[in-house]
Amino acid sequence: MDARFLGIAELTEVPSVAVVIDVMRAYTVAAWAFGQGAEKIVLAESLDAALALKARHPDWVALKDGPPAPGFDAVNSPGLLRSVDLGGRTVVQKTTAGTVGALAVKDASLVLCAGFVVAEATARLLRARACDSVTFVVTGEDGRADEDLACAQYIAGRAVDDGTDATEFLRRAADSRAAAELTEGVRQGVHPDDVALCVELDRFPFAMVAALEGPLMVLRPHAVPWP
């Protein structure tokens, strides 16, 4: 598999297959939302767009990065979201990097969104689809976030060799600047368990596929055969 690892700003053409990585915390949160029963997640282009969707659909659950804000129901924290019942609900998500990355590749033939919590399912789906060229979008820190790059490299490795070990990749994520900022309270809207939840390997047995549904980029869980 020909794997490329690019930041959002480095995307100069539409890739055939894109895997958008945001470990801390957008796509860990998205996986938890599905784990809590959400039907789908609409990836919003802006805070205003998220609020407009919420206004048109009052039963949708809107979440964002940072501290709580008027109009939003939740923040982008897996530790806080894991106690919320989202059975059958639609979530609107707007984050600093993760949702931006997915929207940047919305015209790709296949868009997967991932973190460590869905790493194996993502790798298995790439293998099942026989994807020979994959662009991994490293969303954090203008493409330099080591937790995202480590996750991308791990998934790329697992897609071609199921003997690839996660230990060093998880260590890099746990030692990343993002992890330190979450632990030290630099970022707001944080639960003390967030870092541990973001470096939990294969918590969920599904991949997450994003696709245009009308004008909206919609993320849905995709069941992957598991031994």
Side-chain angles (χ1 to χ4, degrees), residues 35-201:
Q36 293 300 104
E39 177 186 348
K40 65 181 184 287
I41 297 174
V42 176
L43 304 176
E45 293 185 356
S46 66
L47 294 176
D48 286 344
L51 289 174
L53 286 167
K54 172 70 175 179
R56 291 201 297 273
H57 306 277
D59 58 323
W60 289 10
V61 177
L63 67 84
K64 61 177 281 293
D65 274 337
F72 286 89
D73 306 290
V75 295
N76 193 49
S77 160
L80 294 171
L81 198 69
R82 63 182 170 176
S83 61
V84 179
D85 180 5
L86 295 172
R89 305 287 293 279
T90 293
V91 173
V92 179
Q93 186 180 32
K94 170 65 180 90
T95 71
T96 305
T99 56
V100 176
L103 290 165
V105 294
K106 63 184 179 181
D107 293 320
S109 60
L110 176 64
V111 180
L112 306 180
C113 297
F116 282 108
V117 290
V118 294
E120 182 64 18
T122 304
R124 286 174 182 267
L125 184 55
L126 291 173
R127 196 182 312 155
R129 297 282 182 92
C131 298
D132 56 4
S133 179
V134 180
T135 297
F136 290 86
V137 183
V138 179
T139 62
E141 299 177 31
D142 297 322
R144 297 187 300 273
D146 199 40
E147 74 281 3
D148 292 341
L149 181 58
C151 184
Q153 291 170 336
Y154 175 67
I155 292 172
R158 293 290 296 186
V160 297
D161 178 7
D162 59 12
T164 301
D165 183 74
T167 304
E168 179 61 18
F169 300 100
L170 291 169
R171 183 202 63 76
R172 285 168 55 191
D175 291 345
S176 67
R177 184 166 81 172
E181 289 179 352
L182 289 170
T183 300
E184 295 165 9
V186 174
R187 302 187 187 188
Q188 294 181 288
V190 178
H191 187 279
D193 293 341
D194 276 358
V195 172
L197 293 172
C198 288
V199 295
E200 186 176 11
L201 187 65

Side-chain angles (χ1 to χ4, degrees), residues 6 14 31 178 185:
L6 301 176
V14 177

